[in-house]
């Protein structure tokens, strides 16, 4: 059995540029397959911290805390033997609910039973200070040598007992240490707040409108964490002399801008974090600006490597490679062709921006901007076949003509419908791939490009 999945890197782009053009766009599809399954996958190599909001509002309604307890117990049951874990109870302070001494405990039938018993005694009282919860989780992970480190964070309210600056400081301190999936239950929490945390910690964010939905979701998140087989994978991008990176974004399964997360690997090379991987496929949008060249010139605009950086002086492990090309041509039929993968994800990013900006304008009472943005979102959702998003939009606006984006704001919108649309605006659809066009003729060597 292999110790990690096999990785394949595919690049989709229109490499042809018109004379004077400098911007090169590519969609990079990374597929990991054949990840090992069973107890040996994660046993001893994974750590899980479940963070449960125990603030006073979790008693309203009473089913909220009881459902959170059931969900946490379900997640604990999903942990494989050998995985290290802990449960944190979050209020305006952070308390270790299990184990009873600082650190993580190894999962076994006995420890899982003890943990569920501890969770059963959780009570709701106090406020909300999410930064303290994350800091405690970070200190727990620091006691472990596990490579795959995953947290689940559940809250039902806003971060009222910390300033935004305090939370931002904590996020900066823990970023890169673990992956965190965030869930908001009910409608009294702030979407932007949890999205910021999830983006920083390379996790997901979603709304659980009814407490009864927590158990299934917690079980799925824990199972997903158990399926990871390789941690701390980076997308390494080399660019030629004179080139600059405009952006690097994950565009599927969710939108996450990685541009500011770059760390320098070597001259003209930078690493962008992608987190932990099991058997899965993700898409990334890379945009590079290169010096303009004469018609007929060819160059490598970027070289991509999927790597696990070596620790303690060990060499980096390269998991897969791809390249981004640029060819200048006078043939307008070639240079004006928009690659459909690039067009698809550009539209998905615009759709997410239109929804989020439209909802912000609606909250601010700016009817004109909200109508324009949400109308554009309806139009984009229709054009791209994003039927799930179109259904969510129809709960916020009355659609008169989906093709033109003609809409009217609904006078009354349920909070849960607005928050669900906002939360899921960053979820994307994969474009159905076609066979990639043959690459252009032989290119100069990367280092000489």
């Amino acid at each position: 059995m292999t110790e990690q999945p096999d990785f394949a890197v595919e690049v989709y782009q229109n490499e042809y540029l018109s004379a004077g053009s400098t911007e090169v766009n590519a969609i990079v599809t990374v597929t990991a397959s054949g990840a090992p399954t069973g107890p040996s996958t994660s046993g001893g190599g994974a750590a899980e911290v479940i963070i449960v909001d125990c603030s006073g509002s979790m008693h309203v309604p009473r089913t909220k805390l009881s459902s959170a307890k059931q969900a946490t117990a379900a997640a604990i049951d999903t942990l494989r033997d050998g995985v290290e874990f802990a449960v944190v109870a979050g209020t305006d302070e952070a308390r270790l609910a299990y184990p009873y001494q600082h650190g993580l405990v190894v999962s076994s039938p006995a420890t899982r039973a003890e943990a569920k018993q501890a969770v059963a005694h959780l009570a709701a009282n106090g406020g909300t200070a999410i930064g303290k919860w994350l800091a405690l989780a970070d200190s727990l992970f620091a006691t472990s040598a596990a490579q795959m480190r995953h947290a689940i964070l559940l809250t039902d309210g806003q971060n009222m007992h910390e300033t935004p600056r305090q939370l931002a400081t904590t996020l900066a301190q823990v970023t890169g240490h673990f992956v965190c999936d965030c869930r908001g239950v009910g409608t009294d929490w702030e979407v932007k707040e949890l999205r910021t945390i999830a983006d920083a910690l390379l996790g997901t964010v979603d709304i659980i409108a009814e407490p009864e939905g927590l158990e299934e979701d917690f079980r799925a998140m824990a199972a997903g964490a158990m399926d990871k087989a390789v941690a701390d994978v980076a997308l390494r991008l080399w660019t030629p002399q004179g080139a600059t990176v405009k952006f690097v974004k994950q565009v599927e399964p969710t939108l996450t801008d990685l541009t500011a997360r770059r760390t320098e690997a070597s001259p003209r090379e930078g690493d962008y974090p992608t987190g932990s991987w099991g058997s899965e496929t993700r898409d990334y949008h890379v945009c590079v600006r290169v010096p303009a060249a004469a018609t007929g010139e060819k160059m490598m605009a970027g070289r991509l490597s999927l790597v696990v950086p070596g620790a303690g002086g060990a060499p980096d492990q390269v998991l897969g490679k791809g390249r981004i090309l640029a060819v200048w041509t006078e043939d307008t039929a070639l240079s004006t062709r928009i690659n459909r993968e690039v067009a698809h994800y550009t539209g998905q990013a615009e759709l997410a921006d239109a929804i989020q900006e439209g909802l912000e304008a609606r909250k601010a009472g700016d009817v004109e901007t909200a109508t324009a943005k949400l109308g554009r979102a309806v139009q984009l959702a229709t054009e791209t076949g994003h039927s799930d998003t179109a259904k969510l939009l129809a709960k916020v606006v009355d659609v008169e003509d989906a093709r033109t984006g003609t809409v009217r704001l609904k006078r009354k919108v349920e909070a849960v419908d607005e928050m669900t649309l906002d939360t899921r605006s960053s979820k994307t659809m994969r474009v159905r791939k076609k066979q990639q066009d043959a690459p252009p003729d032989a290119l100069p060597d990367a280092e000489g490009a």
Side-chain angles (χ1 to χ4, degrees), residues 224-255:
M226 294 300 96
D227 287 341
K228 302 301 183 185
V230 57
D232 299 328
V233 178
L235 187 67
R236 179 167 293 171
L237 175 60
W238 170 93
T239 50
Q241 188 73 36
T244 57
V245 178
K246 184 177 179 182
F247 60 76
V248 175
K249 300 177 181 178
Q250 177 182 287
V251 291
E252 208 281 335
T254 58
L255 290 167

Side-chain angles (χ1 to χ4, degrees), residues 31-56:
T31 301
S33 57
T37 58
S40 62
T41 302
S42 298
E48 183 80 20
V49 175
I50 304 171
I51 306 170
V52 184
D53 187 339
C54 292
S55 61

Side-chain angles (χ1 to χ4, degrees), residues 51 130 150-157 180-199 202-211 213-214 216-218 220-221 253-256 356 388-389 392 415-428:
I51 306 170
I130 298 175
H150 178 260
I152 294 172
L153 187 154
L154 172 71
T155 187
D156 76 328
C180 184
D181 289 323
C182 301
R183 295 295 182 266
V185 59
T187 58
D188 292 330
W189 53 283
E190 182 64 44
V191 175
K192 185 181 292 186
E193 198 166 70
L194 281 199
R195 180 181 287 128
T196 298
I197 295 169
D199 285 351
L202 300 176
T204 61
V205 61
D206 205 353
I207 181 173
I208 309 298
E210 298 297 332
L214 284 171
E216 180 181 354
D217 194 60
F218 267 47
M221 283 189 288
T254 58
L255 290 167
T256 306
Q356 292 170 25
D388 288 346
T389 300
L392 294 174
V416 66
D417 293 331
E418 185 174 28
M419 291 179 70
T420 301
L421 174 62
D422 192 356
T423 304
R424 296 179 182 169
S425 63
S426 57
K427 292 187 177 181
T428 54

Side-chain angles (χ1 to χ4, degrees), residues 321-366:
K321 294 182 178 181
R323 60 181 185 171
I324 301 172
L325 312 176
V327 182
W328 282 265
T329 180
E330 291 181 344
D331 188 337
T332 55
L334 289 175
S335 63
T336 58
R337 184 184 64 199
I338 301 176
N339 174 269
R340 72 171 192 156
E341 284 80 12
V342 172
H344 173 82
Y345 286 119
T346 300
Q348 297 272 285
E350 185 185 354
L351 172 59
D353 288 343
I355 290 172
Q356 292 170 25
E357 292 170 7
L359 292 177
E360 284 292 325
R362 185 181 177 280
K363 288 179 183 178
D366 185 347

